[in-house]
Amino acid sequence: RVLLDAMAEQKTERECAMEAERLGNKLKSAMNSGKSQLVKILKDISDALSRVGQGEDGGEMKDLPRKLITATLLKHKEKEVRLYAALCLSDVLRIFAPEDPYQDDLVLKGVYVAFLDALAHLKDPSKSTFECAHALLQNIAAIGLCVPMLDLECEGADALVPQLFETLFDALNPSNAGLVEEDVTKVLAIMIEEDESTSPEVLHAVLERLIQPMRGENSAAHSLACNLVRKSENNLQLAVQHFLTDALNARGAGDHPLSKRYVDVLEAVAVVDSTSLVTVWPVIMDELQNDDEEARLRAVRLFGRILSAPGSAVARDFGNYLQQFLKRFNDKCTAVRVEMCKWGASFLLCGNNSDPSVAREVVESFDQRLLDFNQEVRCASVSAICDLAESIPRLIEPELLKAVGDRMVDKKNSVRRLVMKRLSAAYRVYVARFADTDTPPAEALRFDWIPSLLLKGCYQPDIKYHVVEPILADLFPAKVSMERRSTYWLQALCSMDEASSRAFTHMLGAKLKVQRDMREYLSVRQKSKASQQSQGAEEAAEEVDAETLARQFTKVGSNFPDPKKAAGHMEKIHAMKDGNIFRGLSALIKPDTSAAECERITDDILKRIGSKNPAYEWAKLLLVKLSQQPFGREHVCRVLEMAVAAVVDKGKLSSVTAALQHLVQLATSAPHVFGVVAKDLTSLVHHGNENVVEMACRITASAPSCLDGTSTLQGAIIDRLKVLCVEGTGAQAKQAARTLVWLACDGKEGRGHIKEVLEVISEAARDDELLDSNLPGVLATVSVVGQRMPALFMQHVDDIETFIVKDLMARPLPQSPKSSRVSSLAQMQSSGLKALAIGCTRSQEKSQAATRSAYTKRVVEVLRSILLVDANDMERFGSAADAAHLRVAAGKAFLVLVRSTPSFVQPDLFVSTSLLVIDSPAEMIGKFEHGIIKHGLPQAFAAPLALCAVGHDSITRKTAADALSSIFANLRRRSVEFRERYASSMDAAALNRTALTHSAEYTLPYLVFLLAHHPDLPSKETGAANNGVAYRPFQQMVSFLVGTLTAGSKQCLPAALKMMRALKGTVDSTNVDLSHGIYVMSDITLLVLNKLATQKGWDNGQFPGQISWPKAFFTLQERRAKGDPIDEGMAPRVGDYSHLPVGFELKAAAAPKQADGQRSKTAPRRSRKKDPKTPLRKNVAAPSRRLPSRAARRAAFVDTDGEEDHDEDEDAMMEVDGDDGGANLATFGLRREPALELPAPSGWKGEEEEEEELEEEDEFEEESDDEPSEDENEALANEGNEALDSPVMGKRKSGAPLAVRTNTPPPRSRSARTAAKVTSPLADKRRTTAASSYDPENLDGATIGRVSKQRRR
């Protein structure tokens, strides 16, 4: 063979041509000889022709071209014959080029058909036919042998070119691409360039390979199509542009088969070569500016898909179009803004953007859309930001992610729930990313606050801890170790605020309750099962068991959002016969069950219940609640270990503090998870840092069960606690004493520990051996013992009382009149007063009753000596700061004493303690509220809060009003409970009389008494002068309390009115001369109540019950008190307003001073009657496709208490300055507080508008019969305060002037008003009898009926 090749090379091209001609003469005889002979001859001809160059010796082959085109060869049944015949023909065409040896188009068409048939054998390189087909392809590619196809005019010639494209596309595949792709690309590219215009069939063949499904089926063909698009800058690209332009205009309704898929084609071509679509982009940009929302939405979806397609370079190549596209974030169409948010995330995630400024602009747009007025847009923005936070967290700044967290108070439930879901998912990804490595500070700053935010979901009425618990339970992936989980929780604690901390404690408390209820149920179930096994299934026993079980089902169900439905599911679970379910529940609530065991038990129980069971989903929530995870005993041990490990490193003291704070929370809410951890606590209670020791003591006090046992370590801890009770700080001693008291009271080991400590203290006090440095710890220990073990306290009361009263309290305070700091001695004396008062706690030992009573009286005298100290004797208290501190401490001690002994509420101490709120409101308001609500203090101590209405800032007034609201709500609950408790044991009259003393309105007599003893109350002569203007501050205090009292219930009016009238039949029990003040204050209260009833249209009828008075405050008289006559010689006044100064009116006083000493100014009111140009509604902006800037929405706030079904008009629009052409929508997703619908008091306006006031007030009284709102009731509580700084305004938009407020209800027609007057005689009677001011010159009919005829004019 080598020899033959060498010989052949020596032949000239002419000789090769002659050889081919000679072999061609043998074709006819070979056709009858069989396949092998014919194939051999064709191969030899092909070899000979391959050595002949183009245009060389074509004349030597006169007959060969004709013999090769015979139908016998081209349509031979053997493919090899047809294949080699086509190869020989390609060489013939190559040699004769540029001349054509075949002049007939039909003949040439047959040649090309043979070519197409042969090229199909390129598919499989492993077959023998591939080499021949490849040679044919090379011949075609070399000089473009197929170009003449374009000029054929015979029938069927038009189909040859599309067939060529289809054949080569189909022949190319990944297996042969490396061999033939270059030649195939060359052949097809030449065909496209030589054609005058690309036919639809060729265009279809190319574009079809760019899109699915063919793109995925043959990647080599897809690559070929991409190359053709890139190389064919003229014909093909123009065809593509025309096709896409027509499809865009026709919206996919063209005749081309791919018209409906023009979006896919456009995306594919843009990825291949975005510059090839230079004429298409303007069409899309025009659509983006279209006024039709549907058109803009289609364009946004289309261009957004192109920009975010993998590998797309449109954003880089056409930056101007991208900037136009980004403006659609402010489109007025909601669907467009939603689509833009979705696109933004996918665009940044796909990696097509290389410009950081574009990424920043997109992220800033997300930030703006978080405040969008539409909830769908806000949801889309939340999802987009969280998608980036999970995948590319560096793009999301911590502030932006926290802005997403702010949507937790969104007015829409869908947004709130989405925020919780997406943020928890982002945190889970963050945890998984750093499961085995240390967390970078930047990432910790970005994500560590999320658990704290999730806990705040407990405050949302539609979320609460029922939703939060499952999220927290699934917050960490399974691969994260317990140690890393504890580390993450500690990192989260560093960013946890007070609200989150309370929510965390509440959630743990709720978990403890459901565990306790389940434990009770399992116990009852076990007893029921044992009873049935021993006694048989008797009917009577089943009824008892059924009732008991039903109660247990209800108790378990009370821990779920729908208690009734939950009880039904619990009953279904109970009916199941599989005992493994209940054994699993029992194991799940054990505190020592590990996280892995909890997961295994949960899966097993759910599998046994079955997903088709109606109770399946509820059971999943139940198991989450029952499991102590993620805060089980494992977690406690890990955190303790971390704290102990960090103790030795002084630089990690903050870590120790955070860990211990977390453990204190757990110990307070879930003490059962603390097992025997004495080993770790030993090093903490012996630590040198006071805070560490204090928190370790808090852990032992909250979870003292961790000290159960008699081990050496536990003994060492107890010994340390005993030392801290004497030598520790006050906080340390308090917690240490609580721990020892629990050990003594619970019947555990170490009953004598606290007794031993108190004996040491008593002996040291008796021998005067207590060091000043030990006093904080000693007094704290004594207080704890007095509160928790009063019997033990009484055993040592003499020594303790003697030391505190005769030693500690007798020590002279430092004389520093100008000092503003409280001395340490004054602080110790205040602690001593507290210890004395706590020691008055009622003891169970009856034998100590007399001792306790005598001791309480002595303590009262000690407190009186401080609270009632004369002004001349103040010097003995040292500085003013010490004096004020001791008086407040004495007042607090008096409140502590009254908790256990209400009978010691003596008037002088009540008044002096109440007056402390004037100088120390911040301390006393909370004490009064906490004492009444938590410790059952009498309602008398709610009266002092009214003193905050005058002379204090708006924050103090708001705090006092909130405290009063909470107190009155609590008092009403207590009154209802009292009635229910004694309804069966007391007659109706006695029940009504006694229940009234437990009601909220019974606060009014105490308020009247307090104001009558107020040191600033004017004398009788001063108060009567100038129309009683000196009484106006006291009227404001009354209005403050009455407004809050009636805000919760209007049913209190009859009882309140009767009490105020009945006070005229009493005198002051402490000083008869002060009775005039009681009468004046009762008349002012009557005036306030009657005016309120008139304005609201409330019933002020008779109260059926009797009134009983506290004897220490009021003494009954046979006759009612009489007021001074109007003029000399006239009869005294009696009845309502008998002691009220003539001409007294309910008016507002001057505005309270601000912190800088200036009085706030009220914006002047404008009357709509006199200013018809005042618009009744805000202007609507002209239509636009853009939203306003974010700065225009900064003032909006979120109403967290809104109901889900409150649906605002989200299409309402308002004009915003500085954003021309924007769709300026009113709410932007943030609920604004509605304007108060109440009549403004006359004092809110200037004196020059008095006539206008009276007209509006008369109109309101004639037209308003509507039920009042809570805001309206609150208004009276704050009457007289300055307009812009007063709680009467409620929550209003910042900067909204009073002049534009709507303070009257919607007007009614004249006929409606007339009908109301005719059909409401009671309302008419109230209008004629109620008096807003007392004027004897203009007495109404009802008042005239109550006075004598001699006083009439």
Side-chain angles (χ1 to χ4, degrees):
R1 181 66 180 177
V2 174
L3 180 61
L4 291 175
D5 291 341
M7 291 174 65
E9 290 177 0
Q10 295 177 359
K11 291 182 179 180
T12 63
E13 292 184 357
R14 183 172 180 275
E15 291 175 347
C16 290
M18 295 176 61
E19 178 66 18
E21 179 72 13
R22 184 182 61 81
L23 292 173
N25 295 328
K26 297 180 180 181
L27 286 175
K28 184 175 181 180
S29 60
M31 290 180 186
N32 300 323
S33 301
K35 168 188 173 183
S36 58
Q37 184 65 24
L38 183 58
V39 169
K40 182 179 182 302
I41 292 175
L42 289 173
K43 281 184 178 182
D44 293 340
I45 295 174
S46 174
D47 291 338
L49 293 176
S50 65
R51 291 173 174 82
V52 180
Q54 179 181 356
E56 298 291 341
D57 296 312
E60 299 295 333
M61 297 182 295
K62 297 179 180 180
D63 297 326
L64 181 61
R66 179 177 53 79
K67 294 178 180 178
L68 288 175
I69 60 172
T70 58
T72 306
L73 286 177
L74 297 181
K75 297 182 180 180
H76 198 279
K77 63 178 181 179
E78 297 295 337
K79 61 182 179 180
E80 292 183 357
V81 174
R82 298 194 304 273
L83 185 60
Y84 280 101
L87 179 58
C88 292
L89 286 172
S90 69
D91 283 323
V92 170
L93 293 175
R94 174 180 59 80
I95 294 170
F96 278 87
E99 300 297 330
D100 191 350
Y102 307 108
Q103 299 301 322
D104 189 353
D105 285 356
L106 290 175
V107 173
L108 198 55
K109 173 188 172 186
V111 172
Y112 288 131
V113 170
F115 285 177
L116 295 178
D117 178 64
L119 291 175
H121 295 283
L122 291 170
K123 292 182 179 180
D124 191 355
S126 61
K127 292 185 177 180
S128 58
T129 55
F130 173 78
E131 185 178 353
C132 182
H134 189 199
L136 171 62
L137 177 64
Q138 290 175 332
N139 284 342
I140 296 174
I143 59 172
L145 292 181
C146 290
V147 172
M149 277 188 187
L150 303 172
D151 299 327
L152 296 180
E153 297 179 355
C154 61
E155 183 180 358
D158 294 339
L160 291 178
V161 175
Q163 289 178 11
L164 174 65
F165 275 81
E166 291 289 344
T167 300
L168 292 181
F169 271 122
D170 292 340
L172 188 63
N173 55 68
S175 63
N176 64 8
L179 300 175
V180 302
E181 182 177 11
E182 183 178 354
D183 293 328
V184 170
T185 304
K186 186 176 180 180
V187 170
L188 298 184
I190 291 175
M191 296 296 295
I192 293 174
E193 291 301 323
E194 294 295 332
D195 197 357
E196 295 180 357
S197 62
T198 304
S199 66
E201 293 80 8
V202 172
L203 182 64
H204 180 272
V206 175
L207 297 182
E208 193 176 26
R209 268 69 183 183
L210 294 176
I211 60 177
Q212 298 291 354
M214 286 193 173
R215 174 181 177 177
E217 294 173 355
N218 192 343
S219 59
H222 169 71
S223 177
L224 172 60
C226 294
N227 290 333
L228 293 177
V229 172
R230 294 190 190 99
K231 292 182 177 182
S232 304
E233 297 181 358
N234 294 323
N235 292 348
L236 182 59
Q237 290 187 2
L238 288 175
V240 171
Q241 292 171 8
H242 288 309
F243 162 74
L244 290 176
T245 302
D246 294 341
L248 284 170
N249 294 329
R251 299 178 186 176
D255 296 332
H256 197 279
L258 292 178
S259 293
K260 294 183 179 180
R261 300 194 60 188
Y262 73 95
V263 176
D264 297 331
V265 173
L266 180 58
E267 176 189 354
V269 176
V271 171
V272 173
D273 185 7
S274 60
T275 58
S276 65
L277 301 176
V278 65
T279 62
V280 179
W281 303 130
V283 178
I284 301 177
M285 292 300 107
D286 290 342
E287 287 290 288
L288 285 176
Q289 303 295 330
N290 199 312
D291 289 334
D292 183 31
E293 293 183 353
E294 290 295 331
R296 293 202 310 278
L297 181 59
R298 286 195 304 270
V300 165
R301 289 174 176 170
L302 175 60
F303 199 61
R305 177 176 172 178
I306 294 169
L307 289 172
S308 57
S312 173
V314 177
R316 182 183 67 253
D317 297 338
F318 300 94
N320 57 327
Y321 292 152
L322 176 61
Q323 291 301 319
Q324 294 184 38
F325 182 71
L326 293 178
K327 295 179 181 179
R328 294 306 99 207
F329 272 110
N330 293 328
D331 196 287
K332 71 176 183 180
C333 177
T334 298
V336 172
R337 298 197 303 276
V338 170
E339 196 65 33
M340 288 298 297
C341 290
K342 294 178 180 178
W343 163 82
S346 61
F347 174 66
L348 295 180
L349 290 174
C350 71
N352 293 339
N353 176 57
S354 58
D355 188 354
S357 62
V358 173
R360 285 194 299 270
E361 186 173 355
V362 173
V363 172
E364 288 174 0
S365 299
F366 291 156
D367 193 8
Q368 294 175 359
R369 297 280 65 78
L370 284 175
L371 298 179
D372 196 279
F373 79 96
N374 186 276
Q375 62 172 334
E376 295 181 6
V377 181
R378 298 197 299 274
C379 287
S381 180
V382 167
S383 297
I385 295 173
C386 291
D387 285 340
L388 295 177
E390 293 178 15
S391 303
I392 317 176
R394 58 181 173 78
L395 293 179
I396 305 299
E397 295 296 330
E399 291 75 14
L400 178 56
L401 205 57
K402 289 181 180 179
V404 174
D406 292 341
R407 293 294 90 202
M408 274 286 292
V409 292
D410 195 279
K411 71 173 185 177
K412 291 297 183 180
N413 170 277
S414 59
V415 180
R416 296 194 293 268
R417 289 182 175 266
L418 179 65
V419 168
M420 291 198 66
K421 178 182 177 182
R422 294 310 309 269
L423 285 181
S424 62
Y427 185 82
R428 184 180 173 89
V429 172
Y430 154 70
V431 170
R433 189 182 301 123
F434 302 103
D436 302 321
T437 60
D438 293 336
T439 307
E443 294 299 297
L445 179 64
R446 186 176 286 113
F447 292 101
D448 279 347
W449 57 272
I450 291 179
S452 174
L453 176 77
L454 296 177
L455 286 169
K456 290 183 181 179
C458 296
Y459 293 104
Q460 297 297 330
D462 59 318
I463 296 177
K464 295 187 176 181
Y465 57 91
H466 307 295
V467 178
V468 175
E469 276 186 297
I471 291 177
L472 294 182
D474 194 42
L475 203 56
F476 296 98
K479 68 177 183 178
V480 180
S481 65
M482 183 58 66
E483 182 178 358
R484 290 295 296 168
R485 296 186 188 191
S486 301
T487 302
Y488 279 117
W489 270 113
L490 291 182
Q491 291 176 188
L493 286 174
C494 296
S495 59
M496 189 175 292
D497 55 12
E498 184 179 354
S500 300
S501 179
R502 289 198 305 268
F504 180 68
T505 302
H506 175 72
M507 187 188 70
L508 292 178
K511 185 180 286 290
L512 181 63
K513 180 180 180 298
V514 71
Q515 290 173 347
R516 183 171 59 249
D517 293 341
M518 179 56 66
R519 195 175 288 108
E520 292 179 6
Y521 158 73
L522 292 174
S523 177
V524 170
R525 180 182 180 278
Q526 185 63 28
K527 292 179 181 178
S528 174
K529 186 177 179 180
S531 176
Q532 291 179 4
Q533 290 177 353
S534 60
Q535 300 179 6
E538 298 181 3
E539 185 176 354
E542 288 181 357
E543 284 187 355
V544 173
D545 290 340
E547 293 176 359
T548 304
L549 287 170
R551 287 194 297 271
Q552 296 301 320
F553 298 154
T554 303
K555 289 184 67 175
V556 174
S558 65
N559 300 282
F560 293 84
D562 189 345
K564 186 175 181 181
K565 188 175 181 180
H569 288 317
M570 188 65 215
E571 187 174 1
K572 291 183 177 67
I573 299 296
H574 173 77
M576 300 184 71
K577 303 300 182 180
D578 193 343
N580 290 322
I581 294 177
F582 304 100
R583 283 188 286 272
L585 292 175
S586 179
L588 199 61
I589 58 180
K590 291 180 179 179
D592 55 350
T593 305
S594 65
E597 290 176 344
C598 286
E599 185 176 358
R600 181 186 59 78
I601 292 171
T602 299
D603 293 341
D604 181 69
I605 292 177
L606 292 177
K607 183 178 179 181
R608 294 178 182 277
I609 293 176
S611 59
K612 295 183 179 180
N613 193 309
Y616 181 79
E617 292 298 328
W618 174 84
K620 290 172 64 176
L621 181 57
L622 172 67
L623 296 177
V624 170
K625 288 177 173 290
L626 291 178
S627 174
Q628 191 57 44
Q629 304 304 324
F631 309 107
R633 184 163 294 178
E634 281 182 308
H635 176 70
V636 170
C637 293
R638 294 295 183 276
V639 175
L640 265 177
E641 290 174 0
M642 294 169 62
V644 172
V647 162
V648 296
D649 189 349
K650 295 182 179 180
K652 294 185 178 180
L653 186 60
S654 59
S655 302
V656 178
T657 304
L660 292 180
Q661 287 176 345
H662 179 52
L663 290 174
V664 168
Q665 281 186 301
L666 288 175
T668 303
S669 306
H672 59 285
V673 301
F674 285 77
V676 181
V677 293
K679 178 180 178 181
D680 296 321
L681 287 176
T682 303
S683 59
L684 296 178
V685 295
H686 288 85
H687 195 268
N689 185 273
E690 291 183 356
N691 292 331
V692 172
V693 175
E694 178 188 343
M695 284 187 283
C697 292
R698 285 182 179 273
I699 294 174
T700 61
S702 301
S705 58
C706 63
L707 299 180
D708 286 350
T710 58
S711 66
T712 304
L713 292 174
Q714 291 164 338
I717 294 176
I718 292 174
D719 291 341
R720 175 61 175 166
L721 295 178
K722 289 160 67 174
V723 172
L724 292 174
C725 286
V726 180
E727 300 178 1
T729 64
Q732 293 172 354
K734 179 180 179 180
Q735 304 303 327
R738 285 180 57 197
T739 305
L740 298 180
V741 167
W742 184 90
L743 293 174
C745 296
D746 205 52
K748 305 295 182 180
E749 295 291 337
R751 287 176 177 271
H753 295 315
I754 190 63
K755 184 177 180 181
E756 179 184 348
V757 171
L758 197 60
E759 288 176 352
V760 170
I761 293 174
S762 179
E763 183 179 354
R766 185 170 55 252
D767 299 338
D768 195 18
E769 295 178 354
L770 285 176
L771 301 176
D772 290 346
S773 60
N774 294 340
L775 285 181
V778 168
L779 293 176
T781 301
V782 169
S783 298
V784 171
V785 174
Q787 183 179 16
R788 304 294 179 91
M789 299 184 69
L792 179 61
F793 179 86
M794 282 297 163
Q795 295 176 11
H796 303 273
V797 68
D798 294 336
D799 296 331
I800 296 172
E801 181 185 4
T802 301
F803 171 75
I804 295 177
V805 176
K806 296 184 178 181
D807 185 348
L808 181 60
M809 300 302 299
R811 297 179 185 181
L813 291 166
Q815 297 296 322
S816 303
K818 297 183 179 180
S819 177
S820 60
R821 289 188 176 183
V822 180
S823 64
S824 59
L825 179 57
Q827 293 176 354
M828 289 301 99
Q829 289 179 346
S830 65
S831 299
L833 292 175
K834 179 180 179 181
L836 290 175
I838 290 177
C840 299
T841 303
R842 190 181 303 277
S843 174
Q844 300 295 330
E845 297 288 339
K846 295 182 179 180
S847 60
Q848 298 177 340
T851 305
R852 175 184 174 277
S853 178
Y855 168 74
T856 303
K857 293 179 180 179
R858 296 194 298 272
V859 173
V860 169
E861 293 304 319
V862 173
L863 299 179
R864 179 179 280 111
S865 66
I866 299 175
L867 288 171
L868 302 180
V869 64
D870 188 78
N872 298 326
D873 196 26
M874 290 294 293
E875 294 182 357
R876 71 182 180 89
F877 290 112
S879 66
D882 285 351
H885 181 75
L886 279 177
R887 294 189 74 247
V888 171
K892 293 179 180 179
F894 177 67
L895 295 179
V896 172
L897 185 147
V898 172
R899 293 178 191 173
S900 58
T901 315
S903 60
F904 281 91
V905 183
Q906 300 179 11
D908 56 345
L909 293 178
F910 165 72
V911 173
S912 58
T913 302
S914 300
L915 294 177
L916 293 174
V917 78
I918 299 176
D919 297 325
S920 304
E923 295 181 78
M924 298 307 297
I925 291 176
K927 284 295 180 181
F928 288 136
E929 179 183 11
H930 182 77
I932 295 174
I933 294 177
K934 298 297 182 180
H935 299 285
L937 274 179
Q939 66 269 56
F941 291 98
L945 299 180
L947 303 182
C948 297
V950 178
H952 294 88
D953 57 21
S954 59
I955 297 178
T956 302
R957 294 196 303 270
K958 181 65 167 59
T959 304
D962 292 342
L964 278 174
S965 299
S966 302
I967 290 172
F968 289 149
N970 179 265
L971 291 175
R972 289 189 175 95
R973 287 193 297 269
R974 282 161 53 176
S975 179
V976 171
E977 293 172 359
F978 177 85
R979 286 182 175 275
E980 293 176 351
R981 185 182 304 114
Y982 296 101
S984 59
S985 59
M986 298 177 64
D987 60 85
L991 181 63
N992 288 335
R993 182 174 62 254
T994 309
L996 183 61
T997 62
H998 292 80
S999 63
E1001 50 267 31
Y1002 204 69
T1003 306
L1004 289 174
Y1006 290 103
L1007 175 63
V1008 169
F1009 184 88
L1010 175 60
L1011 296 180
H1013 287 255
H1014 197 285
D1016 295 335
L1017 185 74
S1019 63
K1020 183 177 181 180
E1021 294 74 16
T1022 304
N1026 196 17
N1027 295 333
V1029 68
Y1031 288 124
R1032 286 180 181 171
F1034 299 92
Q1035 172 252 309
Q1036 292 176 14
M1037 300 177 193
V1038 172
S1039 297
F1040 184 82
L1041 188 138
V1042 169
T1044 310
L1045 176 67
T1046 55
S1049 173
K1050 63 182 180 181
Q1051 306 299 329
C1052 63
L1053 276 181
L1057 290 169
K1058 184 167 185 176
M1059 283 189 291
M1060 294 302 99
R1061 293 186 178 113
L1063 281 176
K1064 297 289 185 67
T1066 67
V1067 295
D1068 194 322
S1069 297
T1070 61
N1071 189 346
V1072 178
D1073 296 336
L1074 298 179
S1075 298
H1076 177 76
I1078 293 178
Y1079 305 146
V1080 174
M1081 291 299 105
S1082 63
D1083 279 344
I1084 290 177
T1085 307
L1086 275 173
L1087 185 61
V1088 172
L1089 291 171
N1090 277 320
K1091 182 177 181 180
L1092 180 66
T1094 301
Q1095 290 178 343
K1096 308 301 187 211
W1098 288 350
D1099 183 16
N1100 55 359
Q1102 295 295 323
F1103 179 71
Q1106 298 179 351
I1107 307 296
S1108 60
W1109 303 111
K1111 296 180 180 179
F1113 291 79
F1114 306 101
T1115 301
L1116 289 173
Q1117 298 294 304
E1118 293 182 0
R1119 295 184 178 181
R1120 303 185 69 182
K1122 298 180 180 180
D1124 294 338
I1126 299 173
D1127 294 324
E1128 293 184 4
M1130 298 184 63
R1133 293 179 292 169
V1134 295
D1136 292 356
Y1137 319 125
S1138 60
H1139 290 71
L1140 205 61
V1142 176
F1144 181 82
E1145 294 183 356
L1146 299 179
K1147 281 194 174 183
K1153 291 184 178 181
Q1154 304 299 319
D1156 57 359
Q1158 301 295 326
R1159 295 187 183 277
S1160 58
K1161 297 181 179 180
T1162 304
R1165 285 194 58 140
R1166 293 183 299 169
S1167 172
R1168 292 195 185 276
K1169 295 181 180 179
K1170 297 183 179 181
D1171 188 9
K1173 296 181 180 180
T1174 303
L1176 297 180
R1177 58 176 297 177
K1178 295 184 178 179
N1179 295 330
V1180 179
S1184 173
R1185 294 190 295 273
R1186 295 190 61 195
L1187 286 173
S1189 62
R1190 189 180 185 189
R1193 308 192 295 274
R1194 288 292 188 184
F1197 62 91
V1198 177
D1199 178 11
T1200 62
D1201 296 328
E1203 295 293 335
E1204 178 61 24
D1205 56 0
H1206 180 80
D1207 196 5
E1208 297 180 351
D1209 185 7
E1210 295 180 340
D1211 293 329
M1213 303 171 71
M1214 56 182 279
E1215 184 175 358
V1216 180
D1217 296 334
D1219 190 25
D1220 297 334
N1224 305 306
L1225 298 133
T1227 58
F1228 301 99
L1230 306 176
R1231 177 174 299 170
R1232 299 177 184 269
E1233 290 289 340
L1236 293 180
E1237 299 290 342
L1238 67 143
S1242 59
W1244 290 105
K1245 302 181 182 179
E1247 294 295 328
E1248 68 276 10
E1249 298 177 346
E1250 196 65 26
E1251 293 181 2
E1252 178 185 338
E1253 287 179 347
L1254 295 176
E1255 292 175 3
E1256 292 181 355
E1257 189 170 344
D1258 292 340
E1259 180 181 356
F1260 175 79
E1261 290 181 359
E1262 291 177 1
E1263 296 182 358
S1264 177
D1265 288 327
D1266 297 333
E1267 284 293 324
S1269 65
E1270 292 186 8
D1271 288 334
E1272 293 175 338
N1273 295 327
E1274 249 180 80
L1276 191 58
N1278 303 278
E1279 188 174 0
N1281 296 323
E1282 189 274 339
L1284 296 181
D1285 191 35
S1286 172
V1288 74
M1289 301 305 294
K1291 294 181 180 178
R1292 62 184 179 84
K1293 292 183 287 187
S1294 175
L1298 190 62
V1300 299
R1301 290 176 57 87
T1302 302
N1303 288 328
T1304 57
R1308 294 182 295 175
S1309 64
R1310 183 181 300 275
S1311 60
R1313 292 198 298 269
T1314 303
K1317 292 181 180 180
V1318 172
T1319 59
S1320 303
L1322 292 178
D1324 292 340
K1325 182 177 180 181
R1326 288 195 297 270
R1327 293 190 189 96
T1328 57
T1329 58
S1332 61
S1333 64
Y1334 175 69
D1335 187 357
E1337 300 295 335
N1338 190 23
L1339 291 175
D1340 51 43
T1343 305
I1344 293 175
R1346 291 195 293 270
V1347 299
S1348 61
K1349 294 182 179 180
Q1350 289 81 357
R1351 295 179 58 230
R1352 297 182 185 173
R1353 284 191 176 184

